């Protein structure tokens, strides 16, 4: 459960940050955060599934700082990536 929360929070922050850093893809605060939440949740879960050592440490209860950092990076990156993709789609549809 902790990993999902970390992924979602990091994703929301990544989406909000990328929306402000790349104004051409900005969808407003709420849109950026929602896209970030979804992207962070999805990519964070994929990274955990692909990187077995992270999944193993979380399942065994040895949730260490490395696992947390991995989830933050995965969630943040996922949030930022999905926010930019959705922003690009939104921009192309409005033209």
């Amino acid at each position: 459960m902790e990993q999902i929360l970390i992924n979602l929070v990091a994703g929301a922050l990544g989406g909000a940050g990328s929306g402000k850093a790349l104004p051409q893809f900005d969808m407003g605060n709420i849109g950026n955060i929602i896209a970030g939440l979804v992207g962070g949740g999805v990519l964070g879960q994929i990274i955990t599934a692909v990187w077995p050592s992270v999944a193993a440490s979380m399942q065994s209860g040895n949730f260490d700082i490395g696992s947390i950092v991995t989830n933050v990076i995965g969630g943040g990156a996922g949030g930022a990536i999905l926010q930019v993709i959705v922003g690009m789609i939104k921009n192309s549809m409005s033209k």
Side-chain angles (χ1 to χ4, degrees):
M1 186 65 176
E2 295 88 9
Q3 98 182 50
I4 294 172
L5 292 174
I6 292 169
N7 289 337
L8 292 175
V9 170
L13 293 173
S18 66
K20 298 306 173 196
L22 302 168
Q24 68 269 30
F25 304 122
D26 188 14
M27 300 182 295
N29 287 334
I30 300 296
N32 293 340
I33 290 171
I34 291 172
L37 281 168
V38 174
V42 171
L43 187 62
Q45 293 301 306
I46 291 171
I47 287 176
T48 302
V50 172
W51 198 346
S53 63
V54 174
S57 71
M58 289 188 297
Q59 289 174 356
S60 69
N62 296 329
F63 196 62
D64 62 358
I65 192 70
S67 298
I68 294 171
V69 169
T70 301
N71 281 307
V72 168
I73 292 171
I81 291 167
L82 186 64
Q83 187 280 324
V84 169
I85 291 170
V86 172
M88 290 169 61
I89 293 169
K90 180 184 169 232
N91 286 346
S92 69
M93 291 177 68
S94 66
K95 291 182 181 180

